[in-house]
Amino acid sequence: AWHVAGLMMLTGFLVQGMSGWLEISSSIMFWLMLGVSLSLALSSEGESNSRPQQARYAYMTVAISGVIAAIFISGVMLQKLKAEYWLGQAQYYSKAIFTKTDQYIDRIDKVAREDHYYQDQIGYLYYQRLQQRPAHVTYLKARKYFLRARKLNEYDAFIRFHNISLDARALNLRLIKQPSKEVVADMRAILELDPNSPMVYEVRSHLHLAAGNRNAARQDYMKYLQLVDQSR
């Protein structure tokens, strides 16, 4: 029975690796599959101790598990394919037809609300729109999606870069008077995440300059030039 349970756990990890489902061990589906496998294996031991009988139940359990896993993975991949197609369409229309872009953004948001990558990409679409059509409501939309993406994945530095760049642009456009508290936290966090990355200091210098802090902007930009020179 425990051999079958081990096979089920391996199947679970396979689903996690192929689908990106990080919390598989806490899902109802995983434990249901494991319970079914154990039930079948234990019943097979009670009915007969012969190796052919046990092997038949084990193979049947693995086969059923494989089908369930395949169905689940297919569903996940279908949602990802939809989101990727809609993102491409949103990017295509983003410079010309905002209403069309927003329609695709709504679709992406419905199927990928818990995916940090797509939440970040939606925020970036609004960030790009801010340059074409400066408006505080656009800034707030971009900010909402960046913060949601950051909450879903606190270790993705690029999400924080985008959030910092958003406030820098909003400051330059005079849509806000000072960086948000989240951006101030991001300025510290990106140094901790990757203190030797030139991009960290470049992004920081842009925000300092937009906020009117020329000395801090100069220091970060000099550090950026130093790291770029060292990497050559």
Side-chain angles (χ1 to χ4, degrees):
W2 294 111
H3 293 296
V4 178
L7 286 172
M8 288 306 307
M9 293 180 73
L10 289 175
T11 302
F13 289 126
L14 177 64
V15 173
Q16 174 184 343
M18 295 183 66
S19 67
W21 186 14
L22 299 178
E23 301 298 332
I24 188 168
S25 59
S26 63
S27 72
I28 294 175
M29 175 182 156
F30 173 72
W31 292 109
L32 177 62
M33 290 168 62
L34 185 58
V36 169
S37 71
L38 284 171
S39 176
L40 287 171
L42 291 172
S43 66
S44 70
E45 289 182 355
E47 291 174 4
S48 172
N49 290 323
S50 65
R51 289 185 178 274
Q53 182 77 0
Q54 292 178 7
R56 185 162 63 251
Y57 274 98
Y59 294 147
M60 183 170 62
T61 300
V62 173
I64 293 173
S65 302
V67 171
I68 294 174
I71 292 172
F72 171 76
I73 293 172
S74 297
V76 171
M77 293 308 297
L78 180 61
Q79 295 299 323
K80 287 186 178 291
L81 287 172
K82 284 181 180 180
E84 197 63 30
Y85 171 75
W86 291 333
L87 177 60
Q89 292 298 106
Q91 291 170 337
Y92 177 78
Y93 289 109
S94 63
K95 294 183 179 179
I97 309 175
F98 294 152
T99 54
K100 196 77 172 177
T101 302
D102 290 343
Q103 290 175 6
Y104 285 111
I105 285 175
D106 289 340
R107 295 180 186 179
I108 298 168
D109 196 28
K110 287 179 181 178
V111 301
R113 182 171 289 270
E114 301 303 319
D115 190 312
H116 74 273
Y117 170 76
Y118 289 107
Q119 295 299 306
D120 179 55
Q121 289 299 305
I122 292 173
Y124 198 74
L125 285 170
Y126 284 119
Y127 165 74
Q128 291 177 316
R129 184 183 299 183
L130 201 61
Q131 190 64 35
Q132 300 170 260
R133 187 177 295 177
H136 193 257
V137 66
T138 304
Y139 162 76
L140 292 177
K141 287 182 179 180
R143 169 182 156 83
K144 178 182 76 171
Y145 286 105
F146 285 150
L147 292 182
R148 186 184 294 168
R150 191 184 73 164
K151 185 177 180 180
L152 291 169
N153 187 349
E154 296 181 355
Y155 301 102
D156 190 327
F158 285 100
I159 296 172
R160 296 180 186 268
F161 290 162
H162 292 163
N163 199 34
I164 294 169
S165 298
L166 172 67
D167 269 25
R169 178 166 291 183
L171 284 165
N172 285 325
L173 294 171
R174 301 182 184 279
L175 296 175
I176 58 175
K177 294 182 179 180
Q178 60 186 15
S180 66
K181 63 180 182 180
E182 291 85 3
V183 164
V184 173
D186 286 342
M187 292 279 278
R188 294 192 300 266
I190 60 175
L191 277 178
E192 296 174 2
L193 288 171
D194 196 353
N196 297 315
S197 170
M199 189 175 179
V200 166
Y201 297 94
E202 183 183 23
V203 170
R204 281 171 54 92
S205 68
H206 289 166
L207 182 71
H208 284 314
L209 189 61
N213 192 342
R214 295 182 179 275
N215 288 333
R218 186 181 299 109
Q219 291 175 6
D220 276 337
Y221 191 69
M222 293 302 295
K223 183 66 174 179
Y224 159 73
L225 292 177
Q226 178 185 347
L227 290 172
V228 168
D229 188 58
Q230 290 175 358
S231 65
R232 291 175 179 173

